[in-house]
Amino acid sequence: MIIKTPSRLHMCLIDMSGEYGRTDGGIGLTINQPNLILKGIESNSNKITVDFKNDVGIDAKPECQSKVIETAEKIRKFYDIETGFDFEVFQTYPAHSGLGSGTQIALATAKIITETMDIHENSFKLSSIVGRGGTSGIGTFSFDYGGFIVDGGHSLKDKSEFLPSSASDVKPPQLLGHYDFPEDWDILVAIPRDNEHINGQREINFFQTYCPIPKTEVEQMSHIIFMNLIPFLLEGQIEEFGYCIDQIQSKGFKKVELSLQPPKLINLMNYMRDCGAYGVGMSSFGPAIYTVYDKNNKDIVKATKEYLSEEEGDVVFTTRAQNHGFEFIEK
């Protein structure tokens, strides 16, 4: 069995104040590359093995291997599965890049095992089992549905602390909205090389240090999202949608996330705006940044590539939205 998953842009967490009895909540967009392509077959042993194709990037291998094994063991334990599985990774992308590789690896692994054993579960249930979605549900619902995703966060009765998904054991949030994203809107993603990833204990400390966010900023963020960003998306107004992306960067938890970024990333975002980007956002904790564009400002692609350097490890690529979730390439 072979599964191909999309990746995602996590645009922001909505409410990190908790003043209204809930926390988290988020919006994000499913994109059609980069992809994870994972093969898994039942083996005669009780072991989990992971092999890689030669063209899989060396930087992505350790995290991918550990995530596949960790997820497989959780699924086997939950469903009392004794058989082993041999996995082969045909394509993946680096962890902690802002594109959500961890959730896609976990859910693809879980899906392969459960479907092989004739167990049919959706991503919400599988995420709950393997410990994904404790803060954001964007990756979980991108896996199943694709498109533009809105999730409703968590009740303070279920989650009383401000924690990242990696340190939270609550179930994923509820899906509030799933919208098709205009497939004729191009998306530019730039990933400046940055060795200072915010993850692990550093990420936990970040949440606990900077939360709660002032209630007024959460109210402003909510208004931008639900009365501007989403309506402009549904109306197909790309420039206004981009303007909302810019507004999100200066509000709430996203403003705090950006305050800790290196000058190279901030300078790049400002440069892209100067070159005609409708709006520039940072996905999750970065370093991936993104913008939507069309034929009227397509020169930002060339400008961004010229600004960054592939020789220094910077990455620039164009993509589009994916309005559906994972695919079985072979079942």
Side-chain angles (χ1 to χ4, degrees):
M1 183 178 297
I2 303 176
I3 280 181
K4 177 182 178 181
T5 79
S7 44
R8 61 94 178 111
L9 299 171
H10 194 288
M11 295 178 172
C12 72
L13 290 168
I14 300 172
D15 187 345
M16 301 306 288
S17 76
E19 287 288 330
Y20 292 104
R22 299 188 69 82
T23 187
D24 302 331
I27 57 172
L29 174 63
T30 313
I31 54 178
N32 64 16
Q33 62 167 307
N35 306 109
L36 167 74
I37 301 179
L38 182 66
K39 178 180 180 179
I41 58 173
E42 192 175 358
S43 70
N44 295 324
S45 71
N46 64 349
K47 296 180 180 180
I48 303 296
T49 66
V50 184
D51 290 322
F52 293 86
K53 284 293 189 181
N54 292 332
D55 56 350
V56 172
I58 189 170
D59 292 342
K61 287 183 179 181
E63 183 77 14
C64 184
Q65 181 176 40
S66 64
K67 185 62 65 179
V68 169
I69 294 173
E70 175 189 347
T71 300
E73 295 298 354
K74 288 180 179 179
I75 290 293
R76 292 204 304 171
K77 180 179 180 181
F78 185 88
Y79 289 107
D80 195 24
I81 298 171
E82 295 183 358
T83 185
F85 279 82
D86 296 326
F87 289 94
E88 188 171 8
V89 182
F90 290 87
Q91 190 173 319
T92 188
Y93 48 102
H96 313 302
S97 59
L99 299 177
S101 63
T103 297
Q104 301 307 310
I105 293 168
L107 289 176
T109 303
K111 195 72 173 179
I112 285 173
I113 294 176
T114 52
E115 290 292 325
T116 299
M117 305 308 293
D118 203 27
I119 301 168
H120 308 294
E121 300 284 10
N122 61 23
S123 63
F124 184 93
K125 178 64 177 291
L126 295 177
S127 286
S128 301
I129 296 170
V130 303
R132 307 301 299 185
T135 295
S136 168
I138 302 304
T140 295
F141 298 120
S142 289
F143 181 84
D144 259 0
Y145 304 113
F148 183 89
I149 303 292
V150 186
D151 79 63
H154 297 93
S155 167
L156 293 183
K157 294 179 180 179
D158 298 324
K159 184 181 180 183
S160 59
E161 294 184 89
F162 298 104
L163 292 170
S165 291
S166 60
S168 176
D169 59 1
V170 298
K171 293 181 179 180
Q174 294 296 317
L175 176 65
L176 289 188
H178 160 236
Y179 306 99
D180 281 351
F181 196 86
E183 294 184 356
D184 59 344
W185 288 9
D186 291 299
I187 300 164
L188 172 64
V189 179
I191 308 177
R193 184 171 177 81
D194 177 13
N195 295 321
E196 294 295 324
H197 300 302
I198 299 176
N199 57 77
Q201 187 60 49
R202 186 183 178 197
E203 186 179 19
I204 295 171
N205 294 343
F206 179 90
F207 273 76
Q208 296 182 338
T209 299
Y210 293 99
C211 297
I213 296 296
K215 180 176 70 171
T216 54
E217 293 199 27
V218 170
E219 293 168 345
Q220 292 169 357
M221 179 74 84
S222 300
H223 186 90
I224 291 169
I225 291 170
F226 292 104
M227 293 304 298
N228 291 273
L229 180 85
I230 295 176
F232 286 136
L233 164 64
L234 298 179
E235 292 167 357
Q237 300 188 49
I238 188 171
E239 292 187 42
E240 290 81 0
F241 179 86
Y243 177 76
C244 293
I245 294 297
D246 263 351
Q247 294 297 298
I248 285 172
Q249 309 312 302
S250 62
K251 301 289 187 298
F253 194 65
K254 180 57 69 177
K255 178 178 71 174
V256 179
E257 289 177 329
L258 277 165
S259 72
L260 298 182
Q261 299 304 314
K264 180 177 181 179
L265 187 145
I266 301 301
N267 292 339
L268 173 60
M269 294 178 74
N270 290 330
Y271 176 79
M272 291 170 66
R273 294 183 181 108
D274 292 341
C275 289
Y278 298 138
V280 185
M282 181 177 72
S283 179
S284 190
F285 278 96
I289 63 174
Y290 64 91
T291 185
V292 292
Y293 70 97
D294 58 17
K295 62 182 181 180
N296 296 319
N297 68 338
K298 63 181 180 179
D299 289 344
I300 60 169
V301 177
K302 180 181 178 181
T304 302
K305 289 181 177 179
E306 291 177 347
Y307 184 87
L308 293 177
S309 171
E310 291 185 1
E311 294 180 358
E312 295 180 5
D314 301 327
V315 176
V316 181
F317 63 91
T318 59
T319 183
R320 287 188 173 180
Q322 178 169 310
N323 290 319
H324 60 86
F326 75 93
E327 303 171 73
F328 285 114
I329 296 178
E330 178 182 296
K331 197 170 182 180

